[in-house]
Amino acid sequence: RLEALPDDERALLAHASVEGTVFHRGALEELAPASLEASIERSLTSLVRRDLIRPDRAGVGEDEAFRFRHMLIRDAAYRSLSKEMRAELHERFAAWMVRTASSRLGEFEEIVGYHLERAYRLIGELGTLDTDAEELAVRGAERLESAGRKALARSDYPGAVSLLERAAALFPDDHARRVRLLPDLGAALIEAGRLGGAEEVLAQASRAAGAARDECAGARVLVQQEFLRLQRGEATGTAEGAAVVEQVVPVFERDGDDYGLCQAFRLQAWLHWIEAQAEAAADAWEQAAAHAHRAGAEHARTEIF
């Protein structure tokens, strides 16, 4: 059916497919080549009449939106584009989304991150990675990390793990944000019950912190490794955990890391609780909650109580 379409309609569908099953007219006008500008209205009308696309509700702003009648139609149209063209269009769509979403961008960071990630992966498949491609990867990673931290804030641990894993895979190994991200990914894996994955990630995090000489990131790793031991029932006592708390608190205080202090005092609270020291545990949880509030981590504060 696609091969039987007029050239302009087939090309329009191919460019529309980059956004996904649902696409916006504004994005299509951004992505389509200049040679198709004059025929966009006519082509959209014809494609609706042919029942290849259908009007749909806009997801961004007041824009007009359409939906491919079937995912297979979208996929076939997408495959008709070269990898080089797909990479370019994914990056351009991400830029369009940033401009269009404006003050609501926080709601669409996962989508922007996906398109930047996809552009980078396609460039990698073409074997043309360069400095510009690495910059593209970092921009995508930053968007995915931000979306992942929002998922953490609403206690969506499976969603957070998926997003943070993708962000960590996009950041260069020695990037400062990856070094700080890995301990939090390990923590999310623990909360999601993926303890084997958490052990592996925390080992990576320890190596990355050491290579970067980031003592604060290393301290966060130590705290999460103690939580992992507690979850696995590997702790034979509380002395080792208490030694970790004593070691990391001065590091977090020196760096003004309130979120790190929150996690350290949470660990201390659990250690007191294990020792049946309820009053000391309550005091530690109070300190953890106070630091969570200062860090703007209201989800952590809520979970403490």
Side-chain angles (χ1 to χ4, degrees):
R1 292 184 66 184
L2 293 180
E3 289 173 357
L5 291 174
D7 290 346
D8 55 350
E9 293 180 22
R10 187 168 64 251
L12 202 70
L13 275 185
H15 285 75
S17 70
V18 171
E19 180 173 356
T21 306
V22 176
F23 63 92
H24 293 79
R25 178 169 180 154
L28 182 58
E29 290 172 348
E30 173 73 18
L31 300 181
S35 60
L36 296 180
E37 285 182 9
S39 62
I40 288 179
E41 179 66 34
R42 173 178 55 77
S43 293
L44 287 173
T45 300
S46 176
L47 291 166
V48 169
R49 188 173 63 251
R50 296 177 193 274
D51 198 27
L52 291 171
I53 62 173
R54 295 172 179 174
D56 202 80
R57 184 168 58 90
V60 185
E62 306 271 330
D63 202 359
E64 189 177 9
F66 299 87
R67 176 184 292 274
F68 281 90
R69 187 179 65 79
H70 196 286
M71 176 67 78
L72 291 176
I73 298 172
R74 182 265 169 187
D75 290 348
Y78 184 75
R79 285 195 300 270
S80 71
L81 295 166
S82 68
K83 286 186 178 181
E84 185 175 11
M85 179 58 71
R86 291 180 211 170
E88 177 187 337
L89 293 176
H90 278 296
E91 184 176 5
R92 285 170 56 189
F93 175 78
W96 175 84
M97 177 64 81
V98 169
R99 292 197 309 272
T100 304
S102 187
S103 61
R104 294 178 58 201
L105 181 58
E107 301 173 36
F108 300 101
E109 284 190 305
E110 181 177 351
I111 295 174
V112 174
Y114 162 78
H115 285 276
L116 294 172
E117 174 188 37
R118 190 75 190 113
Y120 174 74
R121 296 299 181 201
L122 286 163
I123 292 171
E125 290 174 18
L126 291 167
T128 54
L129 292 177
D130 56 15
T131 303
D132 289 340
E134 294 298 334
E135 187 271 337
L136 183 69
V138 169
R139 286 195 286 128
E142 289 171 345
R143 296 294 183 186
L144 292 173
E145 179 187 1
S146 180
R149 293 194 182 281
K150 288 183 174 67
L152 279 178
R154 56 180 184 270
S155 299
D156 174 12
Y157 293 108
V161 165
S162 175
L163 290 162
L164 295 179
E165 283 180 330
R166 288 161 59 196
L170 279 179
F171 278 125
D173 288 348
D174 59 351
H175 197 283
R177 286 187 63 162
R178 181 177 184 272
V179 174
R180 291 294 179 104
L181 167 64
L182 287 175
D184 294 341
L185 172 56
L189 284 162
I190 293 171
E191 294 292 347
R194 292 173 52 185
L195 304 187
E199 180 179 18
E200 182 179 340
V201 166
L202 290 173
Q204 292 179 35
S206 181
R207 291 192 295 271
R213 298 182 180 178
D214 188 331
E215 193 176 359
C216 191
R220 286 193 178 196
V221 173
L222 290 175
V223 171
Q224 295 307 322
Q225 286 174 329
E226 283 304 308
F227 275 122
L228 181 59
R229 289 177 66 244
L230 290 174
Q231 284 281 354
R232 285 179 157 174
E234 295 174 351
T236 57
T238 60
E240 186 174 342
V244 167
V245 173
E246 185 176 353
Q247 176 183 345
V248 302
V249 165
V251 176
F252 293 141
E253 288 178 338
R254 183 197 65 207
D255 282 21
D257 184 355
D258 279 302
Y259 190 72
L261 286 165
C262 167
Q263 296 301 310
F265 283 114
R266 275 188 64 227
L267 175 59
Q268 186 177 64
W270 279 112
L271 296 173
H272 285 313
W273 187 260
I274 290 168
E275 294 290 339
Q277 299 170 351
E279 186 174 348
D283 288 343
W285 269 313
E286 287 284 354
Q287 291 183 74
H291 286 292
H293 179 69
R294 289 176 199 150
E298 287 302 308
H299 68 289
R301 181 175 175 276
T302 301
E303 288 181 358
I304 289 168
F305 292 113

